[in-house]
Amino acid sequence: MRQFVIYFVVLLFALTGCEKKINPMDPVKDDVNLKNKKLAVIYTDVNSRDSELVLINNKDKIEETQRFKYAGIVQVIKNPSGGLLLPVQLEDILIQIASNGEVNEQKIKTFPLFMETQKGYRLTTYNTAMDYGTIEILENGKKKSKKLDGLLRSATADQKYVYVYGNVNGSANVLYVLDRQNLKLIKDMTLSYGPSDCIKVIDGKVFLSSDNDNMLTIVTPDSWKVSYMKLPYTGPDRILSDSDSIYIAYELGNRITKIDRKTLEIQKSFKLSGQNTINMRMDNKYLYILSQTDLDEQPIKGAVGRIGIYDKQTGKMSDEIILPEKRDMLVQDLELLD
């Protein structure tokens, strides 16, 4: 995914203190109205402390925005207990928006690189140093953490294990398997393809993306067998699933591949309507594709991004939401709220 933030630069940002002069900001509100909102989109800038959360209503119209005086917010994450989480990748701050709209800031470790929340836990990887990172799990109100070699770009968990992808020395692709209870290292597996910005557990198997190849990595925890599935396009970057199918989006690609969940056979691929994907979300009927318009086939004047809404069965676009330019920021991520 194209982001303002380049992973190895975050340490230099803190050491040099380099940033543009801060633009005048609107006063930060104490709360955000999340009621009757359908989508949240985060804009951010890495060179000045300027980010903005945009909320879109059920009529696909921008209804509310909230500015934050931080650079490098590249994820907007739905909290299973309600509300939203916004980790500030260049600092030690987690912005929390409660279900009632109250906005709070929490101190966390410096340089959160990736965060995932599921019912019962929150996983965060941190860019601790140039050659290693930290994985942290928050579960039942208690935190556990462990240092691991490499750039820890993604993570997930099942009932037994925590899975962390590490890019070691800029070339080796490693899957770390940790005991969920104590974060003891169970296995570290060298993979043939990567890097991986997305890990998903589907039907007991671990699926990993590979930004530089046309392969999907599949690990079976019972036997630790590793297999690779060839895809029709290069750069599988996002993986989502419903009860019947697995959906693959490609990094800055204009195709979606649909895979049968039971047989793991490719059902079809469909072309997006002029978009090159940077992120994807899904509900029962539609795929929501986020793109940056300067990377799309036909840039839109006055717009910095757009969300294409595609029927999961037919692949046809049913609607489109245009995201307007906002100062020097780019759109980075989206989340479904209802």
Side-chain angles (χ1 to χ4, degrees):
M1 181 199 309
R2 184 192 181 200
Q3 296 177 341
F4 267 126
V5 180
I6 301 173
Y7 296 127
F8 287 119
V9 171
V10 293
L11 289 176
L12 298 177
F13 179 92
L15 294 173
T16 63
C18 58
E19 61 177 277
K20 293 180 182 176
K21 184 177 180 180
I22 300 172
N23 294 326
M25 299 279 287
D26 296 331
V28 175
K29 296 177 289 185
D30 293 329
D31 56 25
V32 177
N33 184 8
L34 297 178
K35 292 182 179 179
N36 301 316
K37 304 302 190 302
K38 178 180 179 179
L39 286 160
V41 178
I42 190 68
Y43 290 64
T44 202
D45 189 339
V46 74
N47 294 314
S48 64
R49 296 182 182 277
D50 192 7
S51 295
E52 189 163 335
L53 181 70
V54 170
L55 298 173
I56 296 167
N57 63 24
N58 291 319
K59 296 181 179 180
D60 295 338
K61 303 295 182 182
I62 294 175
E63 186 170 308
E64 185 172 352
T65 66
Q66 166 73 307
R67 297 181 72 177
F68 299 101
K69 297 179 182 180
Y70 292 108
I73 303 177
V74 299
Q75 279 188 279
V76 52
I77 306 158
K78 185 157 60 176
N79 192 339
S81 61
L84 295 170
L85 301 173
L86 304 171
V88 183
Q89 198 172 74
L90 297 175
E91 304 204 31
D92 58 353
I93 298 293
L94 175 63
I95 299 168
Q96 301 181 88
I97 303 175
S99 55
N100 65 2
E102 183 180 349
V103 179
N104 292 295
E105 294 181 2
Q106 176 187 343
K107 283 281 188 178
I108 57 174
K109 291 182 175 68
T110 307
F111 305 140
L113 187 60
F114 172 87
M115 183 175 288
E116 178 188 274
T117 61
Q118 297 290 340
K119 187 175 181 180
Y121 73 83
R122 185 178 82 206
L123 287 175
T124 310
T125 70
Y126 296 90
N127 194 18
T128 310
M130 297 298 285
D131 57 349
Y132 69 89
T134 302
I135 176 70
E136 177 184 83
I137 183 169
L138 173 62
E139 191 168 19
N140 299 321
K142 297 180 180 180
K143 290 182 180 179
K144 298 184 288 285
S145 63
K146 187 178 183 66
K147 294 178 180 178
L148 297 168
D149 289 340
L151 191 65
L152 310 182
R153 294 174 60 153
S154 55
T156 194
D158 57 22
Q159 292 299 315
K160 193 172 182 179
Y161 300 115
V162 173
Y163 306 95
V164 185
Y165 168 81
N167 185 242
V168 181
N169 297 324
S171 58
N173 301 298
V174 178
L175 176 64
Y176 296 105
V177 182
L178 310 174
D179 186 292
R180 180 165 164 173
Q181 297 302 313
N182 55 26
L183 294 189
K184 179 182 178 181
L185 181 63
I186 303 299
K187 290 186 75 67
D188 54 352
M189 310 172 68
T190 300
L191 307 177
S192 298
Y193 301 100
S196 176
D197 286 332
C198 185
I199 309 177
K200 297 291 183 183
V201 177
I202 303 172
D203 298 329
K205 294 182 172 64
V206 184
F207 291 74
L208 297 96
S209 63
S210 58
D211 291 355
N212 295 337
D213 300 281
N214 64 338
M215 293 291 186
L216 196 63
T217 300
I218 305 172
V219 178
T220 304
D222 290 343
S223 61
W224 300 118
K225 177 185 176 182
V226 180
S227 58
Y228 300 99
M229 179 179 180
K230 188 174 182 179
L231 296 170
Y233 306 101
T234 299
D237 184 59
R238 290 291 176 260
I239 305 167
L240 294 176
S241 65
D242 58 21
S243 59
D244 299 316
S245 303
I246 299 171
Y247 301 84
I248 308 295
Y250 299 87
E251 183 177 33
L252 297 181
N254 61 1
R255 297 290 199 284
I256 300 294
T257 295
K258 187 175 180 180
I259 299 169
D260 185 279
R261 182 165 170 166
K262 292 181 179 179
T263 65
L264 296 185
E265 294 181 354
I266 294 175
Q267 295 177 310
K268 64 179 178 179
S269 293
F270 60 85
K271 187 176 180 180
L272 302 175
S273 181
Q275 289 188 274
N276 291 319
T277 306
I278 66 166
N279 220 324
M280 172 174 69
R281 292 291 184 268
M282 178 178 70
D283 62 18
N284 290 333
K285 189 174 181 180
Y286 297 107
L287 295 172
Y288 297 80
I289 305 297
L290 178 67
S291 64
Q292 296 172 352
T293 55
D294 64 332
L295 300 175
D296 286 343
E297 294 175 13
Q298 294 182 340
I300 301 172
K301 186 177 181 180
V304 72
R306 56 180 174 155
I307 301 170
I309 304 174
Y310 297 83
D311 187 285
K312 287 162 58 177
Q313 300 303 317
T314 66
K316 293 182 179 180
M317 179 187 278
S318 67
D319 201 359
E320 183 178 58
I321 302 170
I322 302 300
L323 301 170
E325 292 178 342
K326 289 181 176 289
R327 301 171 298 283
D328 294 325
M329 298 183 294
L330 290 179
V331 294
Q332 296 291 334
D333 196 12
L334 78 164
E335 185 63 277
L336 281 165
L337 301 180
D338 57 6

